[in-house]
Amino acid sequence: MKLRTQIRDALKYTLKDWKTVILLGIILCAAASFNDLDSDDLTVGLVIVIVALILLAFEEGYRYLIIKNTLKGDNNPPSVTKLKEILVEGSHEAITLIFYACVIYFLVEVINNINILGGMKDLQAAIISAMCIFIYFLFFGAAINKVLHGGRFLSAFNAIEIIKFYIKIGLKNTLAIITFGTISLNFIVCSVFDFGGVDLVTIVDFLINFILSPIMLLFITRLIALSGKEVSNDY
């Protein structure tokens, strides 16, 4: 399947079920609301963290089911009634997401605060920046690589396997996944973390993110899954 056909398919797939789009929009908005809450009470703070993790697990678990079902040949969005499976798989995906985010955060902190190579700060920054980009690429291939290897959790961190996946789908598809994935990630991060005061601009921004964030989330997940489906016979 050509990349253009995959993109067209991913768009049609995303818009098949508006109930799912709205549900994911609500979840992202709820995550934003919890992110804005601030409490000195330990119990309330713990409840906020737990609810936020459950929302993250649901979102990530649903993404995982999209990839899994697509590789099986299912062209319809998964049912959200499979709550147990969504949350179990989502908890694994959330751990993966948090791991990759922590690694990139650590590398950025090294750039900013630690001088490993003596006076060669520019060289250090270049090397660590390249490592961050590499980790970023691995992150986008983690879920599909896990599905392609029978749901084995450690495959989400197997750099060699993920690189082989990118090689198999080709440069064009890889760049498309990373480009659309970055745009999708930007929408999601903005919708969760960038709410400011309540004014007309903020309301418009909220409405755009409420619709566009889940659409981009579903779109990039389906696109990654279709790329994986093309090479699934090699596994």
Side-chain angles (χ1 to χ4, degrees), residues 114-125:
I114 303 175
N115 191 359
I116 298 175
L117 299 179
M120 296 183 289
K121 291 184 178 180
D122 291 340
L123 177 60
Q124 174 180 310

PDB file of all heavy atoms in Angstrom, residues 114-125:
ATOM      1  N   ILE A 114      25.532  19.384  33.307  1.00  0.00           N
ATOM      2  CA  ILE A 114      26.730  18.584  33.564  1.00  0.00           C
ATOM      3  C   ILE A 114      27.689  18.699  32.390  1.00  0.00           C
ATOM      4  O   ILE A 114      27.301  18.563  31.230  1.00  0.00           O
ATOM      5  CB  ILE A 114      26.364  17.097  33.788  1.00  0.00           C
ATOM      6  CG1 ILE A 114      25.380  16.962  34.947  1.00  0.00           C
ATOM      7  CG2 ILE A 114      27.619  16.275  34.075  1.00  0.00           C
ATOM      8  CD1 ILE A 114      24.870  15.550  35.167  1.00  0.00           C
ATOM      9  N   ASN A 115      28.960  18.934  32.713  1.00  0.00           N
ATOM     10  CA  ASN A 115      29.991  19.050  31.680  1.00  0.00           C
ATOM     11  C   ASN A 115      30.839  17.783  31.697  1.00  0.00           C
ATOM     12  O   ASN A 115      31.760  17.645  32.506  1.00  0.00           O
ATOM     13  CB  ASN A 115      30.857  20.290  31.941  1.00  0.00           C
ATOM     14  CG  ASN A 115      31.767  20.598  30.765  1.00  0.00           C
ATOM     15  OD1 ASN A 115      31.767  19.876  29.777  1.00  0.00           O
ATOM     16  ND2 ASN A 115      32.560  21.653  30.885  1.00  0.00           N
ATOM     17  N   ILE A 116      30.516  16.842  30.806  1.00  0.00           N
ATOM     18  CA  ILE A 116      31.196  15.549  30.786  1.00  0.00           C
ATOM     19  C   ILE A 116      32.503  15.616  29.999  1.00  0.00           C
ATOM     20  O   ILE A 116      33.512  15.024  30.389  1.00  0.00           O
ATOM     21  CB  ILE A 116      30.273  14.471  30.180  1.00  0.00           C
ATOM     22  CG1 ILE A 116      29.010  14.319  31.041  1.00  0.00           C
ATOM     23  CG2 ILE A 116      30.998  13.125  30.079  1.00  0.00           C
ATOM     24  CD1 ILE A 116      27.994  13.366  30.457  1.00  0.00           C
ATOM     25  N   LEU A 117      32.511  16.345  28.889  1.00  0.00           N
ATOM     26  CA  LEU A 117      33.667  16.359  27.984  1.00  0.00           C
ATOM     27  C   LEU A 117      34.586  17.557  28.211  1.00  0.00           C
ATOM     28  O   LEU A 117      35.207  18.068  27.279  1.00  0.00           O
ATOM     29  CB  LEU A 117      33.180  16.350  26.531  1.00  0.00           C
ATOM     30  CG  LEU A 117      32.350  15.122  26.124  1.00  0.00           C
ATOM     31  CD1 LEU A 117      31.912  15.229  24.679  1.00  0.00           C
ATOM     32  CD2 LEU A 117      33.139  13.833  26.342  1.00  0.00           C
ATOM     33  N   GLY A 118      34.655  18.008  29.439  1.00  0.00           N
ATOM     34  CA  GLY A 118      35.559  19.125  29.742  1.00  0.00           C
ATOM     35  C   GLY A 118      35.124  20.402  29.055  1.00  0.00           C
ATOM     36  O   GLY A 118      33.995  20.855  29.204  1.00  0.00           O
ATOM     37  N   GLY A 119      36.008  20.972  28.250  1.00  0.00           N
ATOM     38  CA  GLY A 119      35.713  22.241  27.593  1.00  0.00           C
ATOM     39  C   GLY A 119      34.936  22.092  26.303  1.00  0.00           C
ATOM     40  O   GLY A 119      34.561  23.092  25.686  1.00  0.00           O
ATOM     41  N   MET A 120      34.668  20.871  25.885  1.00  0.00           N
ATOM     42  CA  MET A 120      34.004  20.649  24.596  1.00  0.00           C
ATOM     43  C   MET A 120      32.487  20.603  24.780  1.00  0.00           C
ATOM     44  O   MET A 120      31.827  19.577  24.547  1.00  0.00           O
ATOM     45  CB  MET A 120      34.521  19.356  23.953  1.00  0.00           C
ATOM     46  CG  MET A 120      35.998  19.420  23.594  1.00  0.00           C
ATOM     47  SD  MET A 120      36.589  17.924  22.752  1.00  0.00           S
ATOM     48  CE  MET A 120      36.560  16.728  24.099  1.00  0.00           C
ATOM     49  N   LYS A 121      31.915  21.712  25.220  1.00  0.00           N
ATOM     50  CA  LYS A 121      30.482  21.755  25.514  1.00  0.00           C
ATOM     51  C   LYS A 121      29.634  21.604  24.251  1.00  0.00           C
ATOM     52  O   LYS A 121      28.572  20.971  24.281  1.00  0.00           O
ATOM     53  CB  LYS A 121      30.132  23.068  26.226  1.00  0.00           C
ATOM     54  CG  LYS A 121      30.696  23.162  27.638  1.00  0.00           C
ATOM     55  CD  LYS A 121      30.222  24.440  28.318  1.00  0.00           C
ATOM     56  CE  LYS A 121      30.737  24.508  29.756  1.00  0.00           C
ATOM     57  NZ  LYS A 121      30.283  25.740  30.450  1.00  0.00           N
ATOM     58  N   ASP A 122      30.083  22.208  23.157  1.00  0.00           N
ATOM     59  CA  ASP A 122      29.315  22.119  21.910  1.00  0.00           C
ATOM     60  C   ASP A 122      29.273  20.684  21.406  1.00  0.00           C
ATOM     61  O   ASP A 122      28.229  20.216  20.936  1.00  0.00           O
ATOM     62  CB  ASP A 122      29.939  23.024  20.843  1.00  0.00           C
ATOM     63  CG  ASP A 122      29.762  24.500  21.162  1.00  0.00           C
ATOM     64  OD1 ASP A 122      28.867  24.818  21.973  1.00  0.00           O
ATOM     65  OD2 ASP A 122      30.514  25.323  20.621  1.00  0.00           O
ATOM     66  N   LEU A 123      30.414  19.974  21.504  1.00  0.00           N
ATOM     67  CA  LEU A 123      30.459  18.582  21.074  1.00  0.00           C
ATOM     68  C   LEU A 123      29.560  17.734  21.962  1.00  0.00           C
ATOM     69  O   LEU A 123      28.809  16.868  21.473  1.00  0.00           O
ATOM     70  CB  LEU A 123      31.889  18.052  21.130  1.00  0.00           C
ATOM     71  CG  LEU A 123      32.073  16.568  20.765  1.00  0.00           C
ATOM     72  CD1 LEU A 123      31.597  16.309  19.341  1.00  0.00           C
ATOM     73  CD2 LEU A 123      33.543  16.152  20.924  1.00  0.00           C
ATOM     74  N   GLN A 124      29.597  17.990  23.267  1.00  0.00           N
ATOM     75  CA  GLN A 124      28.739  17.261  24.201  1.00  0.00           C
ATOM     76  C   GLN A 124      27.266  17.494  23.873  1.00  0.00           C
ATOM     77  O   GLN A 124      26.471  16.554  23.840  1.00  0.00           O
ATOM     78  CB  GLN A 124      29.020  17.708  25.635  1.00  0.00           C
ATOM     79  CG  GLN A 124      28.066  17.092  26.663  1.00  0.00           C
ATOM     80  CD  GLN A 124      28.365  17.541  28.076  1.00  0.00           C
ATOM     81  OE1 GLN A 124      29.496  17.481  28.529  1.00  0.00           O
ATOM     82  NE2 GLN A 124      27.341  18.006  28.786  1.00  0.00           N
ATOM     83  N   ALA A 125      26.918  18.758  23.618  1.00  0.00           N
ATOM     84  CA  ALA A 125      25.530  19.094  23.290  1.00  0.00           C
ATOM     85  C   ALA A 125      25.095  18.400  22.003  1.00  0.00           C
ATOM     86  O   ALA A 125      23.967  17.900  21.904  1.00  0.00           O
ATOM     87  CB  ALA A 125      25.369  20.604  23.166  1.00  0.00           C
TER      88      ALA A 125
END
